[in-house]
Amino acid sequence: MSQSTQSIQLPSFQGELAKPRGRVAVLAVAAATFSVVTTEMLPVGLLTSIGSGLRVSDGTAGLAVTLPGLVAALAALLLPVAVRRADRRTVLCALMLLLATANLVAALAPSFTVLLAARVLVGVCIGGVWAIAAGLGARLVTAEAAGRATAVIFSGIAVASVLGVPAGTLLGELTGWRWGFAALAVLAVGVAALLRAALPRLPAHEGVSLGAFPGLLRIGRLRTGLLAVTLLVTGHFAAYTYIRPVLERVPGIGAGLISTLLLAYGVAGIVGNFAGGAVAARDPRRSLLTISAGLAAVVLLMVPAGTALAASVTLLVAWGLAYGGVSVSAQNWVMNAAPHAREAASALFAGVFNVAIALGAFVGGRVADGQGPGGVLWLGGGLALLSMVVVACARPAGHGKRHAKGTATAER
């Protein structure tokens, strides 16, 4: 399918954000990103339960993450084009109701095929919400508060790891995996109502056409950023999608402890989101370079950690801290590379990001089935290393900005 701030603390709203409607509007959009990411990632925490319940292997069950990622990639590119004249509030509400329907179908699915059909609908919602939400911060608040608002909107991604996935995992373990999806159906309906009440009318701000994407890909700095994100996110999800089997290597670890560890991972992810945003606001290249190096080290060190509980816990928390800053740092890179076409660039970024999620989950599944948990860790760490090399070789930011200005002038 995820995207700045000057402090690692949860930001206080200023300026327009201090007004109740502005604050609630931003939080409502953050709730939408929280809902779609929680739904997207819920199978990670329930992978074993879903597989045994529907009689498929862990690798096959991982398709429940792969498929919506692929669909989200297409939806992120096509949906903004299809709804180019539609009010963005209406589009977001419709996507939340579609998400509720998809989760209800998943909860009632009699077979893995039906579950996958529901996950196709989830993919449409993920791609649509990501592409539209990325640019709304600047429309809901003053220009001075836009960076902070954008960080809050994308903090929904990290909060999904802290609250959504662990809570869904725990509920699924206590009552059955189907209830996890049922709970998300109810949540999506509530978020749709919140969006309808909190958001002002948001007419289409900039028309997005399919022809805009090839033009954006001519910007060298944007291409470099997208390549780095592809490698980094593919590597992360190749390993993280199968984190449960990885943790189950540790003797005596149970479902309750795994849920607690995922919670710790998510808390670290929130810190990483705002820490990465603080650095990326000044230097996206430095932020992504640090993140990719950190992820490579952590994931590769999980291999020798093996059955050591203390080492595995420490590395998992460090993993969350590093990955938490990916979305907001990459979003800053994209906005800096193409300031003249923010919505189109956000749609392209969301498409690439979700292709990487799908690719990572798919390739990781094949490796998990063939080589076990250790194999996915080697794969994930290796791809993060390649991402670090790409970022390290990136051209200076000034070159990308000059190119972007030239492209904007040519378009005008």
Side-chain angles (χ1 to χ4, degrees):
M1 254 132 160
S2 26
Q3 306 262 37
S4 213
T5 176
Q6 300 299 319
S7 172
I8 66 171
Q9 302 297 321
L10 290 176
S12 58
F13 296 106
Q14 299 177 353
E16 187 66 23
L17 283 172
K19 299 179 180 180
R21 186 174 179 86
R23 179 168 60 246
V24 175
V26 170
L27 292 175
V29 179
T33 62
F34 169 84
S35 298
V36 293
V37 173
T38 299
T39 299
E40 182 178 20
M41 293 293 101
L42 183 61
V44 172
L46 297 175
L47 199 67
T48 304
S49 300
I50 292 173
S52 61
L54 297 177
R55 298 185 178 87
V56 296
S57 69
D58 286 348
T60 300
L63 292 174
V65 178
T66 301
L67 186 58
L70 289 173
V71 175
L74 290 175
L77 298 176
L78 299 180
L79 193 139
V81 175
V83 300
R84 58 187 305 178
R85 300 185 184 279
D87 183 276
R88 272 24 187 175
R89 179 182 67 177
T90 301
V91 174
L92 285 176
C93 289
L95 288 171
M96 285 297 102
L97 294 177
L98 181 62
L99 186 68
T101 301
N103 280 317
L104 183 59
V105 172
L108 300 174
S111 67
F112 189 65
T113 300
V114 174
L115 178 68
L116 287 183
R119 300 294 287 176
V120 169
L121 298 180
V122 170
V124 174
C125 299
I126 296 166
V129 169
W130 271 54
I132 293 172
L136 286 185
R139 299 190 60 184
L140 295 173
V141 301
T142 61
E144 293 76 13
R148 182 173 287 111
T150 300
V152 172
I153 287 172
F154 283 101
S155 71
I157 298 171
V159 175
S161 297
V162 174
L163 297 178
V165 175
T169 300
L170 182 59
L171 178 63
E173 292 293 343
L174 294 176
T175 63
W177 63 267
R178 295 179 185 275
W179 284 103
F181 288 104
L184 288 180
V186 175
L187 174 64
V189 172
V191 173
L194 177 61
L195 289 167
R196 181 65 180 82
L199 293 184
R201 290 180 59 82
L202 294 167
H205 183 66
E206 97 184 30
V208 177
S209 65
L210 289 176
F213 301 125
L216 287 173
L217 289 175
R218 287 196 290 270
I219 301 174
R221 185 168 176 80
L222 181 58
R223 288 199 311 270
T224 299
L226 293 177
L227 174 59
V229 168
T230 300
L231 293 168
L232 190 61
V233 175
T234 298
H236 167 76
F237 280 96
Y240 183 70
T241 301
Y242 304 95
I243 192 61
R244 181 164 186 141
V246 168
L247 293 176
E248 286 174 344
R249 300 178 305 170
V250 181
I253 196 168
L257 182 54
I258 288 178
S259 297
T260 301
L261 292 178
L262 290 177
L263 177 62
Y265 168 93
V267 170
I270 289 183
V271 176
N273 176 74
F274 289 102
V279 176
R282 301 184 297 271
D283 189 349
R285 180 178 178 274
R286 176 186 170 193
S287 182
L288 279 178
L289 188 61
T290 302
I291 287 170
S292 57
L295 271 178
V298 167
V299 175
L300 290 175
L301 285 173
M302 288 285 284
V303 179
T307 59
L309 179 60
S312 296
V313 170
T314 301
L315 289 170
L316 184 64
V317 172
W319 191 339
L321 183 64
Y323 186 74
V326 170
S327 297
V328 67
S329 298
Q331 180 70 17
N332 272 276
W333 184 302
V334 167
M335 294 298 95
N336 288 346
H340 60 287
R342 292 178 178 269
E343 188 168 331
S346 294
L348 183 60
F349 169 64
V352 168
F353 202 104
N354 281 283
V355 165
I357 291 174
L359 182 61
F362 176 77
V363 175
R366 309 287 72 76
V367 174
D369 283 347
Q371 301 179 30
V376 297
L377 294 175
W378 281 113
L379 174 62
L383 289 176
L385 279 175
L386 288 177
S387 177
M388 181 184 70
V389 172
V390 170
V391 175
C393 295
R395 292 175 177 176
H399 178 91
K401 291 179 180 178
R402 289 193 297 271
H403 194 160
K405 290 179 181 178
T407 302
T409 302
E411 288 179 353
R412 289 195 294 269

